[in-house]
Coordinates of all heavy atoms in Angstrom, one line a residue:
G1 N 246.4 -43.7 -167.3 CA 247.7 -43.8 -166.9 C 248.6 -44.6 -167.9 O 249.6 -44.1 -168.5
Q2 N 248.3 -45.9 -168.2 CA 249.0 -46.8 -169.0 C 248.1 -47.5 -170.1 O 247.1 -47.9 -169.6 CB 249.9 -47.7 -168.4 CG 251.0 -47.1 -167.5 CD 251.9 -48.2 -166.9 OE1 251.5 -49.3 -166.6 NE2 253.2 -47.9 -166.8
L3 N 248.6 -47.6 -171.2 CA 247.9 -48.3 -172.3 C 249.0 -49.3 -172.7 O 250.0 -49.0 -173.3 CB 247.6 -47.3 -173.4 CG 246.8 -47.8 -174.5 CD1 245.5 -48.4 -174.1 CD2 246.6 -46.7 -175.5
I4 N 248.7 -50.5 -172.5 CA 249.6 -51.6 -172.8 C 249.1 -52.5 -174.0 O 248.1 -53.0 -174.0 CB 249.9 -52.5 -171.6 CG1 250.2 -51.6 -170.4 CG2 250.9 -53.6 -171.9 CD1 250.3 -52.3 -169.1
A5 N 250.1 -52.5 -175.0 CA 249.7 -53.3 -176.2 C 249.6 -54.8 -175.8 O 250.2 -55.3 -174.9 CB 250.9 -53.2 -177.2
P6 N 248.7 -55.6 -176.5 CA 248.7 -56.9 -176.3 C 250.0 -57.6 -176.6 O 250.7 -57.2 -177.5 CB 247.5 -57.4 -177.3 CG 247.5 -56.5 -178.2 CD 248.0 -55.2 -177.6
W7 N 250.3 -58.7 -175.9 CA 251.6 -59.4 -176.2 C 251.6 -60.0 -177.6 O 250.6 -60.5 -178.1 CB 251.9 -60.5 -175.2 CG 253.2 -61.1 -175.4 CD1 253.5 -62.4 -175.9 CD2 254.4 -60.6 -175.2 NE1 254.8 -62.6 -176.1 CE2 255.5 -61.6 -175.6 CE3 254.9 -59.5 -174.7 CZ2 256.8 -61.3 -175.5 CZ3 256.3 -59.1 -174.6 CH2 257.2 -60.1 -175.0
G8 N 252.7 -59.8 -178.3 CA 252.8 -60.3 -179.7 C 254.2 -59.8 -180.2 O 254.9 -59.2 -179.4
G9 N 254.4 -59.8 -181.5 CA 255.6 -59.4 -182.1 C 255.5 -57.9 -182.3 O 254.6 -57.2 -182.0
T10 N 256.6 -57.5 -183.0 CA 256.8 -56.0 -183.3 C 255.6 -55.5 -184.2 O 255.2 -54.4 -183.8 CB 258.1 -55.9 -184.0 OG1 259.2 -56.4 -183.2 CG2 258.4 -54.5 -184.2
R11 N 255.2 -56.3 -185.0 CA 254.1 -55.9 -185.9 C 252.8 -55.6 -185.0 O 252.1 -54.7 -185.4 CB 253.8 -57.0 -187.0 CG 255.0 -57.0 -188.0 CD 254.6 -58.0 -189.2 NE 255.8 -58.1 -190.1 CZ 256.2 -59.3 -190.5 NH1 255.5 -60.4 -190.3 NH2 257.3 -59.4 -191.3
T12 N 252.6 -56.5 -184.1 CA 251.4 -56.3 -183.3 C 251.5 -54.8 -182.6 O 250.5 -54.2 -182.6 CB 251.3 -57.4 -182.2 OG1 251.2 -58.6 -182.9 CG2 250.1 -57.1 -181.2
S13 N 252.6 -54.5 -182.1 CA 252.8 -53.2 -181.4 C 252.8 -52.0 -182.4 O 252.1 -51.0 -182.0 CB 254.2 -53.2 -180.8 OG 254.1 -53.9 -179.5
V14 N 253.3 -52.2 -183.6 CA 253.2 -51.1 -184.6 C 251.6 -50.9 -184.9 O 251.2 -49.8 -185.0 CB 254.0 -51.5 -185.9 CG1 253.6 -50.5 -187.0 CG2 255.4 -51.6 -185.6
E15 N 250.9 -52.1 -185.1 CA 249.5 -51.9 -185.4 C 248.8 -51.4 -184.2 O 247.8 -50.6 -184.4 CB 249.0 -53.3 -185.8 CG 249.4 -53.8 -187.0 CD 249.1 -55.4 -187.3 OE1 248.4 -56.1 -186.4 OE2 249.5 -56.0 -188.2
F16 N 249.0 -51.7 -183.1 CA 248.4 -51.2 -181.9 C 248.6 -49.6 -181.8 O 247.7 -48.8 -181.5 CB 249.0 -51.8 -180.7 CG 248.4 -51.4 -179.3 CD1 247.2 -52.1 -178.9 CD2 248.9 -50.4 -178.5 CE1 246.6 -51.7 -177.7 CE2 248.3 -50.0 -177.3 CZ 247.2 -50.7 -177.0
F17 N 249.9 -49.2 -182.0 CA 250.2 -47.7 -182.0 C 249.3 -47.0 -183.1 O 248.8 -45.9 -182.7 CB 251.7 -47.6 -182.3 CG 252.1 -46.1 -182.5 CD1 252.0 -45.1 -181.5 CD2 252.3 -45.6 -183.8 CE1 252.3 -43.8 -181.8 CE2 252.6 -44.3 -184.1 CZ 252.6 -43.5 -183.1
R18 N 249.3 -47.6 -184.2 CA 248.5 -47.0 -185.3 C 247.1 -46.9 -185.0 O 246.5 -45.9 -185.3 CB 248.8 -47.7 -186.6 CG 250.2 -47.4 -187.2 CD 250.5 -48.2 -188.4 NE 251.8 -47.8 -188.9 CZ 252.5 -48.6 -189.8 NH1 251.9 -49.8 -190.2 NH2 253.7 -48.2 -190.3
K19 N 246.6 -48.0 -184.3 CA 245.1 -47.9 -184.1 C 244.7 -46.9 -182.9 O 243.8 -46.3 -183.0 CB 244.8 -49.3 -183.6 CG 243.2 -49.5 -183.2 CD 242.9 -50.9 -182.8 CE 241.5 -51.1 -182.6 NZ 241.0 -52.5 -182.3
Y20 N 245.7 -46.7 -182.0 CA 245.4 -45.9 -180.8 C 246.0 -44.6 -180.8 O 245.8 -43.8 -179.8 CB 245.5 -46.7 -179.6 CG 244.5 -47.8 -179.4 CD1 244.9 -49.1 -179.5 CD2 243.2 -47.5 -179.2 CE1 244.2 -50.1 -179.4 CE2 242.3 -48.6 -179.2 CZ 242.7 -49.9 -179.2 OH 241.9 -50.9 -179.1
R21 N 246.9 -44.2 -181.7 CA 247.7 -43.0 -181.6 C 246.9 -41.8 -181.5 O 247.2 -40.8 -180.8 CB 248.7 -42.9 -182.6 CG 248.3 -42.7 -184.0 CD 249.3 -42.5 -185.0 NE 248.9 -42.8 -186.4 CZ 249.6 -42.9 -187.4 NH1 251.0 -43.0 -187.3 NH2 249.2 -43.2 -188.6
E22 N 245.8 -41.7 -182.3 CA 244.9 -40.4 -182.3 C 244.3 -40.2 -180.9 O 244.3 -39.1 -180.4 CB 243.9 -40.5 -183.5 CG 243.1 -39.1 -183.6 CD 242.1 -39.3 -184.8 OE1 242.5 -39.9 -185.9 OE2 241.1 -38.7 -184.6
A23 N 243.7 -41.4 -180.4 CA 243.2 -41.2 -179.1 C 244.1 -40.9 -177.9 O 243.9 -40.2 -177.0 CB 242.4 -42.4 -178.8
F24 N 245.4 -41.5 -178.2 CA 246.3 -41.2 -177.2 C 246.9 -39.9 -177.1 O 247.3 -39.3 -176.2 CB 247.6 -42.2 -177.5 CG 248.7 -42.3 -176.4 CD1 248.5 -42.9 -175.3 CD2 250.0 -41.8 -176.7 CE1 249.5 -42.8 -174.3 CE2 250.9 -41.8 -175.9 CZ 250.7 -42.3 -174.6
G25 N 246.8 -39.2 -178.3 CA 247.4 -37.8 -178.4 C 248.9 -37.6 -178.7 O 249.5 -38.6 -178.9
E26 N 249.3 -36.4 -178.6 CA 250.6 -36.2 -179.0 C 251.6 -36.8 -178.1 O 251.6 -36.7 -176.9 CB 250.9 -34.7 -179.0 CG 252.3 -34.2 -179.5 CD 252.6 -32.8 -179.4 OE1 251.6 -32.0 -179.0 OE2 253.7 -32.4 -179.7
V27 N 252.6 -37.5 -178.7 CA 253.7 -38.2 -178.0 C 254.9 -37.1 -177.8 O 255.1 -36.5 -178.9 CB 254.2 -39.4 -178.8 CG1 255.4 -40.0 -178.1 CG2 253.1 -40.4 -178.9
I28 N 255.3 -36.9 -176.7 CA 256.3 -36.0 -176.5 C 257.7 -36.6 -175.9 O 258.7 -35.8 -176.0 CB 255.9 -34.8 -175.5 CG1 255.6 -35.4 -174.1 CG2 254.8 -34.0 -176.0 CD1 255.5 -34.4 -172.9
R29 N 257.5 -37.8 -175.6 CA 258.8 -38.5 -175.1 C 258.6 -39.9 -175.4 O 257.6 -40.6 -175.3 CB 258.9 -38.3 -173.5 CG 260.1 -38.9 -173.0 CD 260.2 -38.5 -171.5 NE 261.2 -39.2 -170.7 CZ 261.1 -40.5 -170.3 NH1 260.0 -41.2 -170.5 NH2 262.1 -41.1 -169.7
A30 N 259.8 -40.6 -175.7 CA 259.9 -42.1 -175.9 C 261.2 -42.6 -175.3 O 262.3 -41.9 -175.1 CB 260.0 -42.3 -177.4
E31 N 261.0 -43.8 -174.7 CA 262.1 -44.4 -174.0 C 262.2 -45.8 -174.6 O 261.2 -46.6 -174.6 CB 261.9 -44.4 -172.5 CG 263.1 -45.3 -171.9 CD 262.8 -45.5 -170.4 OE1 261.9 -45.0 -169.9 OE2 263.8 -46.1 -169.7
V32 N 263.4 -46.3 -175.2 CA 263.6 -47.6 -175.6 C 264.4 -48.2 -174.4 O 265.5 -47.7 -174.0 CB 264.4 -47.7 -176.8 CG1 264.7 -49.0 -177.2 CG2 263.7 -46.9 -178.0
T33 N 263.7 -49.2 -173.8 CA 264.3 -49.6 -172.5 C 265.4 -50.7 -172.6 O 266.1 -51.0 -171.7 CB 263.2 -50.3 -171.7 OG1 262.7 -51.5 -172.3 CG2 262.1 -49.3 -171.4
G34 N 265.5 -51.4 -173.7 CA 266.4 -52.5 -173.9 C 265.8 -53.8 -173.4 O 266.4 -54.9 -173.4

């Protein structure tokens, strides 16, 4: 259902995405929430 990055700065989220993107699979939608 949901995979949540550990709290941290932007770099932490970029690293988290890179680490898990293959297992997560193809991204088809993105929402920037503000």
